[in-house]
């Protein structure tokens, strides 16, 4: 009898758990393949989180984040930046693809905007949305702020902060949270300083949190644990940054 009861509990848990749904959409002739997820428990509020994945495209880390957010009551959508037929097979291809969108930032901004539309179509309130991103996606989140997308907040997890110096610093109205590994070799001090100057000149409401002994990709459990490689998981920084994001979400989406 006890075994039957436990089995029923397991089945109920599986049924109630948030499920990712593949969503096909387009940028002109380019097919994009994102993922949507709705809250485990539907309520009156329909707050949404747009997730921008790291440089290799949609990965397990992004999917796990989406599921966790859905369990907390958020609609979430994982953006496909590269599009079908362009997914990187290795780090070299990922670097090339990510580099293209960093240089062609308007194309990056467009792909983010298209994903934002999909998040709203899934049921999220257009007036209660935050964009979060990991690594390359963190750079994208900042591009969402720079382009003036109508979102309440931006969260960059170990993202690149650099912007072409030829670009002017335009006003930024959305709130910005940057969660940064103190030992990240991919973001030199000069880049950090330039970013902070940009935020100040843009009159942004911004904050930046540093995590000790953390390098690039510190939230990604699949990144290994060798800091000497420049990218590694840091459990403490991962948990702290997640809590910092949740506090930020409560503030900007109230």
């Amino acid at each position: 009898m006890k075994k039957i009861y436990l089995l029923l509990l397991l089945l109920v848990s599986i049924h109630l758990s948030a499920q990712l749904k593949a969503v096909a959409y387009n940028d002109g002739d380019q097919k994009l393949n994102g993922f949507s997820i709705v809250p485990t428990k539907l309520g009156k509020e329909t707050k949404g989180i747009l997730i921008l994945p790291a440089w290799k495209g949609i990965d397990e880390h992004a999917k796990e984040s989406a599921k966790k957010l859905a369990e907390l009551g958020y609609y979430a959508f994982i953006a496909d930046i590269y599009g079908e037929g362009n997914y990187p097979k290795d780090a070299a291809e990922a670097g090339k693809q990510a580099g293209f969108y960093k240089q062609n930032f308007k194309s990056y901004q467009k792909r983010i905007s298209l994903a934002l539309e999909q998040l709203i179509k899934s049921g999220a309130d257009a007036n209660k949305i935050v964009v979060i991103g990991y690594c390359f996606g963190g750079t994208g989140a900042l591009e969402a702020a720079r382009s003036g997308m109508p979102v309440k907040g931006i969260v960059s997890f170990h993202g690149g902060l650099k912007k072409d110096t030829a670009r002017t610093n335009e006003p930024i109205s959305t709130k910005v949270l940057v969660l940064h590994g103190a030992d990240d070799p991919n973001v030199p001090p000069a880049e950090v300083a330039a970013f902070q100057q940009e935020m100040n000149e843009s009159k942004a409401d911004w904050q930046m949190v540093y995590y000790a002994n953390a390098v690039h990709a510190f939230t990604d459990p699949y990144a290994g644990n060798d800091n000497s490689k420049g990218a590694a998981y840091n459990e403490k920084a991962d948990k702290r940054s997640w809590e910092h994001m949740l506090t930020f979400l409560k503030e900007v989406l109230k």
Side-chain angles (χ1 to χ4, degrees), residues 102 139 142 146 159-163 180 184-198 208:
K102 287 177 181 179
T139 303
L142 294 175
R146 289 164 177 152
L161 310 176
K162 189 176 181 179
K163 186 183 77 169
H180 185 67
D184 190 337
N186 295 333
V187 186
E191 186 173 318
V192 173
F195 168 75
Q196 293 179 352
Q197 181 179 346
E198 175 197 354
M208 188 168 183

Side-chain angles (χ1 to χ4, degrees), residues 113 116 120 125-131 144-145 147-153 173-174:
S113 182
L116 183 61
I120 295 169
D125 186 340
N127 297 310
K128 291 189 176 181
I129 289 175
V130 165
V131 180
S147 68
M149 287 186 194
V151 296
K152 294 297 183 181
S173 58
T174 188

Side-chain angles (χ1 to χ4, degrees), residues 192-215:
V192 173
F195 168 75
Q196 293 179 352
Q197 181 179 346
E198 175 197 354
M199 290 295 102
N200 290 331
E201 291 181 359
S202 297
K203 306 299 182 184
D205 179 349
W206 68 282
Q207 52 190 308
M208 188 168 183
V209 182
Y210 292 80
Y211 301 101
N213 304 313
V215 292

Side-chain angles (χ1 to χ4, degrees), residues 50-245:
L50 177 61
I51 301 173
L52 306 180
W55 69 332
K56 290 187 177 179
I58 296 174
D59 54 16
E60 289 305 311
H61 181 37
K63 291 178 180 179
E64 289 167 6
S65 294
K67 291 177 182 178
K68 287 167 63 178
L69 287 165
E71 290 170 359
L72 292 171
Y74 297 97
Y75 284 76
F77 188 84
I78 309 174
D80 178 10
I81 301 302
Y82 301 142
E84 191 167 291
N86 301 307
Y87 304 129
K89 298 182 181 64
D90 52 34
E93 288 189 10
K96 184 177 180 180
Q97 288 279 26
F100 171 83
Y101 285 98
K102 287 177 181 179
Q103 292 178 5
N104 297 276
F105 62 92
K106 288 191 178 294
S107 295
Y108 198 2
Q109 292 171 353
K110 183 181 180 183
R111 292 282 166 91
I112 296 168
S113 182
L114 290 170
L116 183 61
E117 291 176 4
Q118 294 301 316
L119 174 59
I120 295 169
K121 285 182 181 179
S122 75
D125 186 340
N127 297 310
K128 291 189 176 181
I129 289 175
V130 165
V131 180
I132 73 171
Y134 297 96
C135 299
F136 167 59
T139 303
L142 294 175
E143 285 300 337
R146 289 164 177 152
S147 68
M149 287 186 194
V151 296
K152 294 297 183 181
I154 296 296
V155 183
S156 170
F157 289 89
H158 40 79
L161 310 176
K162 189 176 181 179
K163 186 183 77 169
D164 190 335
T165 55
R167 296 168 63 184
T168 58
N169 293 331
E170 302 293 339
I172 291 178
S173 58
T174 188
K175 295 182 179 181
V176 177
L177 172 62
V178 173
L179 305 171
H180 185 67
D183 298 331
D184 190 337
N186 295 333
V187 186
E191 186 173 318
V192 173
F195 168 75
Q196 293 179 352
Q197 181 179 346
E198 175 197 354
M199 290 295 102
N200 290 331
E201 291 181 359
S202 297
K203 306 299 182 184
D205 179 349
W206 68 282
Q207 52 190 308
M208 188 168 183
V209 182
Y210 292 80
Y211 301 101
N213 304 313
V215 292
H216 202 61
F218 62 78
T219 66
D220 188 353
Y222 304 95
N225 56 14
D226 185 354
N227 276 19
S228 68
K229 294 183 178 181
Y233 179 65
N234 183 304
E235 183 179 8
K236 186 180 293 184
D238 179 26
K239 291 180 177 179
R240 287 177 174 176
S241 62
W242 184 262
E243 289 302 318
H244 283 138
M245 179 194 69

